[in-house]
Amino acid sequence: DKYPGDEITIHSGILLGEDDRKMNYEVLNKEENKKTDEVEKGYEITNYPNPFNPTTVISYQLPEKNYVTLKVYDILGREIATLINEYQNAGSYKVEFSADKYNLSSGIYFYTLKAGKNYIVKKMMLIK
């Protein structure tokens, strides 16, 4: 409610299948499809294992050199960590994320990859 137009708020509602802001889910789903269509081919991100405890490895692929930001958010959209914030060459990368380092409790978290104009949001679950 605090940041109704925030991208992470919109994406988290879509990924969770919830409609916390009492908006029409179909409208949000169309917005998500539009965003997905805008992501250029070759940009990929995933984490394994998922669910995880206490660490997971976030892997991503860049088809071209770009300024990359990789962040983790909690279910309320609060930033937990900035894992990457730099220019990177095309290629595959892996980053380990440890819940213990940030003293996190069990729950759903989101990780985002922003590379140039491309923005991808995925969810992961921490089970203690």
Side-chain angles (χ1 to χ4, degrees), residues 9-84:
T9 304
I10 292 169
H11 288 284
S12 65
I14 293 167
L15 290 170
L16 293 173
E18 296 175 353
D19 192 4
D20 293 337
R21 297 176 301 142
K22 308 232 180 307
M23 296 177 80
N24 185 331
Y25 180 75
E26 289 181 3
V27 172
L28 289 176
N29 199 22
K30 286 180 185 173
E31 183 66 22
E32 173 63 13
N33 289 337
K34 180 180 173 190
K35 293 247 182 239
T36 302
D37 293 342
E38 291 174 3
V39 175
E40 293 177 19
K41 291 186 183 208
Y43 287 94
E44 296 178 21
I45 186 167
T46 189
N47 76 300
Y48 183 81
N50 191 15
F52 69 99
N53 179 19
T55 62
T56 187
V57 175
I58 300 173
S59 304
Y60 60 97
Q61 185 172 335
L62 305 173
E64 61 189 6
K65 182 177 180 176
N66 223 323
Y67 193 84
V68 176
T69 305
L70 178 62
K71 294 185 178 189
V72 177
Y73 296 88
D74 67 11
I75 193 78
L76 298 175
R78 295 179 295 214
E79 185 178 319
I80 301 297
T82 299
L83 304 175
I84 303 292

